[in-house]
Amino acid sequence: MPASGTPRRNAASEADVQLRVRGLVQGVGFRPFVHRAARRRGLRGWVLNDGEGVLIRAVGSGAAVADLAAALAAEAPSAARVDSVISEALAAGAEPPGPGFAILASAPNGRVETAIPPDLAVCPDCRRELLDPGDRRHLYPFINCTQCGPRYSILESLPYDRPRTTMRAFRMCPRCAAEYGDPADRRFHAEPNACPECGPQARFIPAAPGLPTGPDPIASAAAALAAGWIVALKGLGGFHLLVDAANGGAIARLRRRKHREEKPFAVLFPDLASVAACAEVSPESGRLLASPAAPIVLLRRRAEAPLAAEIAPGNPWVGAMLPSSPLQILLLGALGRPVVATSGNLSGEPLCFGGAEAARRLAGIADAFLDHNREIVHPVDDSVVRPAAGGSIVLRRARGLAPATLRLPASADGCWLSVGAQMKAAVGVACADRLTLSPHIGDLDHPASRSAFEGAARTLRGLHGREFDRVICDLHPDYASTRFAEATGLPRTAVQHHLAHVLACLLEYGRDPEGILGIAWDGTGYGEDGTIWGGEFLLLGGGQALRFARLRPFRLPGGEAAIRDGRRSALGLVHEVAPAQVAEAATMLGFGGADAAGLAQMLSRGLNSPLTSSIGRLFDAVAALLGIGGRNHFEGQAGLAVEAAASHAEGDDAFSFPLRPVAPGGTARFELDLAPLLDAITPDDRWRLPPARAALALHRGLAHAATEVAFAAGVRTVALGGGCFQNALLLELTTEALRRNGFEVLIPRQLPPNDGCIAAGQALGALLGLTSVSLP
């Protein structure tokens, strides 16, 4: 990004300029980079961190100063992100800097507007040193440099300097101190710098009788895993629970102890070759796996993969990741095979990150602990991404990707807290023209998760150095995040859930909402009419969002129970389109006489049977009617089964979703009719189209329907959002159909399409005054 402003020469025919750099420029080796770049150009002056980013004073020839300003973005470290460089010439009488170019102590100024650095996986240079018998850090599990290692997880306050991190507990030895102070060294001002002599140490703690132990904690942990024990490992941002990925019995034991019935586990592989032996790895997937974020990447599992079926029952994909810390590299190297690596918690609870806390909360799960004494301040889970639609989508934004900072189109009048939704919670802070999003927190159903959520808000408030002036929340009155917002006593703004999905996508692309159709396909969300939305087409323009179209609503008998049991959604769908067939459908779906009669009565009377337009619930219903899936033991399980079935099918079948006008007094102008879909999959007809082909026809039909609505809306740009677009096949087919018909399609890339993006959309909605959806 070019610098703004033109350096002026002082009386000595030299340029004397102050350069303000904003973006992700702390904790990524930016000051050492500036120091080297300035010295190469023969400049005098200094560089320092402060609350706004990096501040530079550069004195020398005008050409050299201009060249440095241009290099700040063009040659920045790979982990940095330069948002802006502003140049200001200093007055001729300004006190000159000393000789040479120096890195000065940071200058805290109370308010923080710079990006907060995320944790980064071990870099190739550190990996080489780690495994080099001739290096002084050979096999040291806490090796790092300016391009890798802990950042946010150990950060106590900004600016990012060692005394403001938990590494202040470790005094550098003379050799580490010399590296830290040497401009030519890769560890010049690497804040977590350490070595075996002066840095953190690992320790193996058995928690079950009979565990093999020895003097080497890593070897002891590897032996325990090889013997089928469950080991809790402290990573960059918290604990993982590890178990041999080929040992089905040990994995089943972990499921029982963790109370995780069927939700897939991630697998940590020693290297890319071992991933490729178990899954299909494309060039894009390989790039993601080896990136500094080192996320979990969803890949199609090979049939012959030596992985236990218990890892992901009935699931054709595997969540693969590579080691993100030196400790993981050494442990996997000692074991020599992949391990299940799941978050260190009981299902529904937040991640464990402190040693004493883990010993208490994981006591009934882990047989042993591979711990260390580098303290974690902020827990950070693993990021999850999925290759899709010519790129990738983020399913969970956490380690390596968050905290994340995005530019707002204008400045907030104060410091605003946006609290997101109930599921996949994350919080955001808007100050000036920057929005900072926390890492993924989790679902807010458990008291401990709500405590972690409140802690994340306090953390961002503390790092920004100021109190909140406003809070922004969802319309849903029963969300824990909404109740928290109300309890703050601050001025409060509520933003409709699906509008927030669409606005988050627009924020990512820096697009104005005028003349854009937002497609928000989701599981559930509180609608402006009090029903459950989730199949929405929102037409943005003229300062408002209109509910232009929706999926035809159907009832969910039992409300929340229908979300867990897709057969109930199926019965609600049948009741909406063909009420005379409810009894027959109930029998086909496996309901007994009393249950069938009770559900039929609920539907006919509308008792505890809320209306929904949700695409997510439609997938549940179709899964049940096709016999592909029934109950959701974890969020989206039935929808995942429909996608898995469709991904194996061939053909160009597409179910029809005709666009019909809604009768006057309705809450949308148009709706997608469900009658042709039900006709196509009723018991008499389903045998003409096998379930897998029917699953594919559902995906294709929805993609075609999206195009039909876009034509009817008269727009040229469509923004996608909502948890249903985690479905890679649905995303690809919808994007392809829209683009083939000449529409520009905005796909969430940096932010998750699911509720992890809601806090971002809320902030933009409050900034633009676009918070509600208009009904016809």
Side-chain angles (χ1 to χ4, degrees), residues 274-300:
S274 61
V275 179
C278 293
E280 299 172 8
V281 181
S282 67
E284 172 67 7
S285 300
R287 183 193 67 78
L288 291 168
L289 286 163
S291 69
I296 298 170
V297 181
L298 264 60
L299 305 172
R300 184 168 291 279

PDB file of all heavy atoms in Angstrom, residues 274-300:
ATOM      1  N   SER A 274       2.158 -38.216   5.431  1.00  0.00           N
ATOM      2  CA  SER A 274       1.245 -39.096   6.168  1.00  0.00           C
ATOM      3  C   SER A 274      -0.205 -38.667   5.985  1.00  0.00           C
ATOM      4  O   SER A 274      -1.117 -39.500   6.008  1.00  0.00           O
ATOM      5  CB  SER A 274       1.622 -39.125   7.650  1.00  0.00           C
ATOM      6  OG  SER A 274       1.528 -37.848   8.234  1.00  0.00           O
ATOM      7  N   VAL A 275      -0.452 -37.361   5.780  1.00  0.00           N
ATOM      8  CA  VAL A 275      -1.808 -36.904   5.457  1.00  0.00           C
ATOM      9  C   VAL A 275      -2.224 -37.478   4.101  1.00  0.00           C
ATOM     10  O   VAL A 275      -3.334 -38.003   3.948  1.00  0.00           O
ATOM     11  CB  VAL A 275      -1.894 -35.368   5.427  1.00  0.00           C
ATOM     12  CG1 VAL A 275      -3.313 -34.931   5.067  1.00  0.00           C
ATOM     13  CG2 VAL A 275      -1.493 -34.771   6.765  1.00  0.00           C
ATOM     14  N   ALA A 276      -1.332 -37.367   3.121  1.00  0.00           N
ATOM     15  CA  ALA A 276      -1.643 -37.827   1.769  1.00  0.00           C
ATOM     16  C   ALA A 276      -1.891 -39.327   1.712  1.00  0.00           C
ATOM     17  O   ALA A 276      -2.610 -39.806   0.833  1.00  0.00           O
ATOM     18  CB  ALA A 276      -0.510 -37.439   0.819  1.00  0.00           C
ATOM     19  N   ALA A 277      -1.321 -40.078   2.643  1.00  0.00           N
ATOM     20  CA  ALA A 277      -1.564 -41.517   2.678  1.00  0.00           C
ATOM     21  C   ALA A 277      -2.967 -41.851   3.173  1.00  0.00           C
ATOM     22  O   ALA A 277      -3.465 -42.945   2.926  1.00  0.00           O
ATOM     23  CB  ALA A 277      -0.523 -42.184   3.574  1.00  0.00           C
ATOM     24  N   CYS A 278      -3.600 -40.892   3.847  1.00  0.00           N
ATOM     25  CA  CYS A 278      -4.918 -41.149   4.443  1.00  0.00           C
ATOM     26  C   CYS A 278      -6.040 -40.346   3.805  1.00  0.00           C
ATOM     27  O   CYS A 278      -7.218 -40.648   4.039  1.00  0.00           O
ATOM     28  CB  CYS A 278      -4.876 -40.828   5.936  1.00  0.00           C
ATOM     29  SG  CYS A 278      -3.818 -41.934   6.901  1.00  0.00           S
ATOM     30  N   ALA A 279      -5.702 -39.306   3.046  1.00  0.00           N
ATOM     31  CA  ALA A 279      -6.737 -38.423   2.507  1.00  0.00           C
ATOM     32  C   ALA A 279      -6.284 -37.840   1.181  1.00  0.00           C
ATOM     33  O   ALA A 279      -5.091 -37.851   0.851  1.00  0.00           O
ATOM     34  CB  ALA A 279      -7.042 -37.298   3.497  1.00  0.00           C
ATOM     35  N   GLU A 280      -7.249 -37.317   0.429  1.00  0.00           N
ATOM     36  CA  GLU A 280      -6.943 -36.683  -0.852  1.00  0.00           C
ATOM     37  C   GLU A 280      -6.504 -35.246  -0.593  1.00  0.00           C
ATOM     38  O   GLU A 280      -7.284 -34.448  -0.071  1.00  0.00           O
ATOM     39  CB  GLU A 280      -8.172 -36.721  -1.756  1.00  0.00           C
ATOM     40  CG  GLU A 280      -8.640 -38.135  -2.083  1.00  0.00           C
ATOM     41  CD  GLU A 280      -9.967 -38.161  -2.825  1.00  0.00           C
ATOM     42  OE1 GLU A 280     -10.449 -37.062  -3.218  1.00  0.00           O
ATOM     43  OE2 GLU A 280     -10.522 -39.260  -3.005  1.00  0.00           O
ATOM     44  N   VAL A 281      -5.272 -34.935  -0.964  1.00  0.00           N
ATOM     45  CA  VAL A 281      -4.692 -33.622  -0.677  1.00  0.00           C
ATOM     46  C   VAL A 281      -4.449 -32.886  -1.992  1.00  0.00           C
ATOM     47  O   VAL A 281      -3.588 -33.266  -2.782  1.00  0.00           O
ATOM     48  CB  VAL A 281      -3.369 -33.751   0.109  1.00  0.00           C
ATOM     49  CG1 VAL A 281      -2.805 -32.370   0.426  1.00  0.00           C
ATOM     50  CG2 VAL A 281      -3.578 -34.547   1.387  1.00  0.00           C
ATOM     51  N   SER A 282      -5.209 -31.837  -2.229  1.00  0.00           N
ATOM     52  CA  SER A 282      -5.018 -30.988  -3.401  1.00  0.00           C
ATOM     53  C   SER A 282      -3.918 -29.972  -3.107  1.00  0.00           C
ATOM     54  O   SER A 282      -3.515 -29.790  -1.947  1.00  0.00           O
ATOM     55  CB  SER A 282      -6.314 -30.255  -3.731  1.00  0.00           C
ATOM     56  OG  SER A 282      -6.620 -29.312  -2.697  1.00  0.00           O
ATOM     57  N   PRO A 283      -3.412 -29.268  -4.133  1.00  0.00           N
ATOM     58  CA  PRO A 283      -2.432 -28.210  -3.871  1.00  0.00           C
ATOM     59  C   PRO A 283      -2.941 -27.160  -2.893  1.00  0.00           C
ATOM     60  O   PRO A 283      -2.203 -26.704  -2.016  1.00  0.00           O
ATOM     61  CB  PRO A 283      -2.173 -27.619  -5.258  1.00  0.00           C
ATOM     62  CG  PRO A 283      -2.434 -28.753  -6.199  1.00  0.00           C
ATOM     63  CD  PRO A 283      -3.570 -29.509  -5.587  1.00  0.00           C
ATOM     64  N   GLU A 284      -4.232 -26.771  -3.011  1.00  0.00           N
ATOM     65  CA  GLU A 284      -4.799 -25.796  -2.088  1.00  0.00           C
ATOM     66  C   GLU A 284      -4.859 -26.347  -0.669  1.00  0.00           C
ATOM     67  O   GLU A 284      -4.532 -25.646   0.302  1.00  0.00           O
ATOM     68  CB  GLU A 284      -6.207 -25.396  -2.554  1.00  0.00           C
ATOM     69  CG  GLU A 284      -7.005 -24.534  -1.581  1.00  0.00           C
ATOM     70  CD  GLU A 284      -6.435 -23.138  -1.366  1.00  0.00           C
ATOM     71  OE1 GLU A 284      -5.482 -22.758  -2.061  1.00  0.00           O
ATOM     72  OE2 GLU A 284      -6.955 -22.427  -0.479  1.00  0.00           O
ATOM     73  N   SER A 285      -5.242 -27.615  -0.538  1.00  0.00           N
ATOM     74  CA  SER A 285      -5.296 -28.226   0.791  1.00  0.00           C
ATOM     75  C   SER A 285      -3.914 -28.304   1.415  1.00  0.00           C
ATOM     76  O   SER A 285      -3.741 -28.038   2.614  1.00  0.00           O
ATOM     77  CB  SER A 285      -5.903 -29.624   0.709  1.00  0.00           C
ATOM     78  OG  SER A 285      -7.211 -29.586   0.197  1.00  0.00           O
ATOM     79  N   GLY A 286      -2.928 -28.674   0.602  1.00  0.00           N
ATOM     80  CA  GLY A 286      -1.563 -28.740   1.104  1.00  0.00           C
ATOM     81  C   GLY A 286      -1.057 -27.387   1.559  1.00  0.00           C
ATOM     82  O   GLY A 286      -0.358 -27.272   2.581  1.00  0.00           O
ATOM     83  N   ARG A 287      -1.422 -26.342   0.814  1.00  0.00           N
ATOM     84  CA  ARG A 287      -1.020 -24.986   1.204  1.00  0.00           C
ATOM     85  C   ARG A 287      -1.646 -24.598   2.531  1.00  0.00           C
ATOM     86  O   ARG A 287      -0.982 -24.007   3.403  1.00  0.00           O
ATOM     87  CB  ARG A 287      -1.436 -23.994   0.114  1.00  0.00           C
ATOM     88  CG  ARG A 287      -1.002 -22.555   0.383  1.00  0.00           C
ATOM     89  CD  ARG A 287      -1.699 -21.584  -0.548  1.00  0.00           C
ATOM     90  NE  ARG A 287      -3.125 -21.500  -0.301  1.00  0.00           N
ATOM     91  CZ  ARG A 287      -3.672 -20.803   0.717  1.00  0.00           C
ATOM     92  NH1 ARG A 287      -2.888 -20.160   1.569  1.00  0.00           N
ATOM     93  NH2 ARG A 287      -4.984 -20.770   0.873  1.00  0.00           N
ATOM     94  N   LEU A 288      -2.913 -24.921   2.706  1.00  0.00           N
ATOM     95  CA  LEU A 288      -3.596 -24.592   3.952  1.00  0.00           C
ATOM     96  C   LEU A 288      -2.979 -25.327   5.135  1.00  0.00           C
ATOM     97  O   LEU A 288      -2.749 -24.746   6.202  1.00  0.00           O
ATOM     98  CB  LEU A 288      -5.082 -24.937   3.842  1.00  0.00           C
ATOM     99  CG  LEU A 288      -5.916 -24.079   2.899  1.00  0.00           C
ATOM    100  CD1 LEU A 288      -7.282 -24.722   2.664  1.00  0.00           C
ATOM    101  CD2 LEU A 288      -6.085 -22.677   3.461  1.00  0.00           C
ATOM    102  N   LEU A 289      -2.714 -26.622   4.952  1.00  0.00           N
ATOM    103  CA  LEU A 289      -2.147 -27.415   6.039  1.00  0.00           C
ATOM    104  C   LEU A 289      -0.797 -26.872   6.493  1.00  0.00           C
ATOM    105  O   LEU A 289      -0.492 -26.848   7.685  1.00  0.00           O
ATOM    106  CB  LEU A 289      -1.997 -28.873   5.599  1.00  0.00           C
ATOM    107  CG  LEU A 289      -3.276 -29.700   5.506  1.00  0.00           C
ATOM    108  CD1 LEU A 289      -3.049 -30.948   4.680  1.00  0.00           C
ATOM    109  CD2 LEU A 289      -3.764 -30.066   6.907  1.00  0.00           C
ATOM    110  N   ALA A 290       0.015 -26.435   5.535  1.00  0.00           N
ATOM    111  CA  ALA A 290       1.373 -25.989   5.840  1.00  0.00           C
ATOM    112  C   ALA A 290       1.470 -24.497   6.105  1.00  0.00           C
ATOM    113  O   ALA A 290       2.571 -23.973   6.312  1.00  0.00           O
ATOM    114  CB  ALA A 290       2.299 -26.365   4.682  1.00  0.00           C
ATOM    115  N   SER A 291       0.351 -23.784   6.125  1.00  0.00           N
ATOM    116  CA  SER A 291       0.360 -22.338   6.320  1.00  0.00           C
ATOM    117  C   SER A 291       0.708 -21.992   7.771  1.00  0.00           C
ATOM    118  O   SER A 291       0.615 -22.834   8.661  1.00  0.00           O
ATOM    119  CB  SER A 291      -1.002 -21.750   5.955  1.00  0.00           C
ATOM    120  OG  SER A 291      -1.977 -22.148   6.908  1.00  0.00           O
ATOM    121  N   PRO A 292       1.082 -20.726   8.041  1.00  0.00           N
ATOM    122  CA  PRO A 292       1.386 -20.330   9.427  1.00  0.00           C
ATOM    123  C   PRO A 292       0.221 -20.515  10.393  1.00  0.00           C
ATOM    124  O   PRO A 292       0.426 -20.660  11.587  1.00  0.00           O
ATOM    125  CB  PRO A 292       1.750 -18.846   9.285  1.00  0.00           C
ATOM    126  CG  PRO A 292       2.249 -18.708   7.877  1.00  0.00           C
ATOM    127  CD  PRO A 292       1.419 -19.655   7.074  1.00  0.00           C
ATOM    128  N   ALA A 293      -1.015 -20.525   9.871  1.00  0.00           N
ATOM    129  CA  ALA A 293      -2.170 -20.762  10.746  1.00  0.00           C
ATOM    130  C   ALA A 293      -2.303 -22.227  11.122  1.00  0.00           C
ATOM    131  O   ALA A 293      -2.892 -22.552  12.153  1.00  0.00           O
ATOM    132  CB  ALA A 293      -3.452 -20.279  10.072  1.00  0.00           C
ATOM    133  N   ALA A 294      -1.799 -23.136  10.289  1.00  0.00           N
ATOM    134  CA  ALA A 294      -1.856 -24.587  10.525  1.00  0.00           C
ATOM    135  C   ALA A 294      -3.237 -25.034  10.994  1.00  0.00           C
ATOM    136  O   ALA A 294      -3.380 -25.657  12.047  1.00  0.00           O
ATOM    137  CB  ALA A 294      -0.784 -25.012  11.534  1.00  0.00           C
ATOM    138  N   PRO A 295      -4.287 -24.747  10.211  1.00  0.00           N
ATOM    139  CA  PRO A 295      -5.642 -25.096  10.666  1.00  0.00           C
ATOM    140  C   PRO A 295      -5.952 -26.569  10.465  1.00  0.00           C
ATOM    141  O   PRO A 295      -5.211 -27.305   9.800  1.00  0.00           O
ATOM    142  CB  PRO A 295      -6.512 -24.239   9.739  1.00  0.00           C
ATOM    143  CG  PRO A 295      -5.736 -24.216   8.458  1.00  0.00           C
ATOM    144  CD  PRO A 295      -4.289 -24.139   8.874  1.00  0.00           C
ATOM    145  N   ILE A 296      -7.062 -27.000  11.033  1.00  0.00           N
ATOM    146  CA  ILE A 296      -7.657 -28.276  10.651  1.00  0.00           C
ATOM    147  C   ILE A 296      -8.268 -28.078   9.269  1.00  0.00           C
ATOM    148  O   ILE A 296      -8.984 -27.104   9.033  1.00  0.00           O
ATOM    149  CB  ILE A 296      -8.746 -28.689  11.655  1.00  0.00           C
ATOM    150  CG1 ILE A 296      -8.148 -28.897  13.052  1.00  0.00           C
ATOM    151  CG2 ILE A 296      -9.469 -29.942  11.182  1.00  0.00           C
ATOM    152  CD1 ILE A 296      -9.194 -29.065  14.138  1.00  0.00           C
ATOM    153  N   VAL A 297      -7.988 -28.992   8.343  1.00  0.00           N
ATOM    154  CA  VAL A 297      -8.503 -28.895   6.976  1.00  0.00           C
ATOM    155  C   VAL A 297      -9.349 -30.133   6.696  1.00  0.00           C
ATOM    156  O   VAL A 297      -8.888 -31.265   6.885  1.00  0.00           O
ATOM    157  CB  VAL A 297      -7.354 -28.785   5.952  1.00  0.00           C
ATOM    158  CG1 VAL A 297      -7.916 -28.652   4.537  1.00  0.00           C
ATOM    159  CG2 VAL A 297      -6.453 -27.601   6.279  1.00  0.00           C
ATOM    160  N   LEU A 298     -10.587 -29.920   6.256  1.00  0.00           N
ATOM    161  CA  LEU A 298     -11.471 -31.049   5.944  1.00  0.00           C
ATOM    162  C   LEU A 298     -11.104 -31.627   4.584  1.00  0.00           C
ATOM    163  O   LEU A 298     -11.120 -30.927   3.569  1.00  0.00           O
ATOM    164  CB  LEU A 298     -12.937 -30.594   5.932  1.00  0.00           C
ATOM    165  CG  LEU A 298     -13.706 -30.820   7.244  1.00  0.00           C
ATOM    166  CD1 LEU A 298     -13.063 -30.064   8.380  1.00  0.00           C
ATOM    167  CD2 LEU A 298     -15.162 -30.418   7.079  1.00  0.00           C
ATOM    168  N   LEU A 299     -10.768 -32.927   4.577  1.00  0.00           N
ATOM    169  CA  LEU A 299     -10.336 -33.620   3.373  1.00  0.00           C
ATOM    170  C   LEU A 299     -11.132 -34.904   3.201  1.00  0.00           C
ATOM    171  O   LEU A 299     -11.602 -35.486   4.184  1.00  0.00           O
ATOM    172  CB  LEU A 299      -8.840 -33.975   3.467  1.00  0.00           C
ATOM    173  CG  LEU A 299      -7.863 -32.828   3.744  1.00  0.00           C
ATOM    174  CD1 LEU A 299      -6.476 -33.378   3.990  1.00  0.00           C
ATOM    175  CD2 LEU A 299      -7.862 -31.844   2.585  1.00  0.00           C
ATOM    176  N   ARG A 300     -11.238 -35.347   1.949  1.00  0.00           N
ATOM    177  CA  ARG A 300     -11.914 -36.620   1.702  1.00  0.00           C
ATOM    178  C   ARG A 300     -10.969 -37.761   2.074  1.00  0.00           C
ATOM    179  O   ARG A 300      -9.852 -37.843   1.593  1.00  0.00           O
ATOM    180  CB  ARG A 300     -12.341 -36.737   0.236  1.00  0.00           C
ATOM    181  CG  ARG A 300     -13.132 -38.009  -0.041  1.00  0.00           C
ATOM    182  CD  ARG A 300     -13.785 -37.969  -1.417  1.00  0.00           C
ATOM    183  NE  ARG A 300     -14.855 -36.983  -1.460  1.00  0.00           N
ATOM    184  CZ  ARG A 300     -16.075 -37.194  -0.999  1.00  0.00           C
ATOM    185  NH1 ARG A 300     -16.396 -38.365  -0.449  1.00  0.00           N
ATOM    186  NH2 ARG A 300     -16.997 -36.261  -1.075  1.00  0.00           N
TER     187      ARG A 300
END
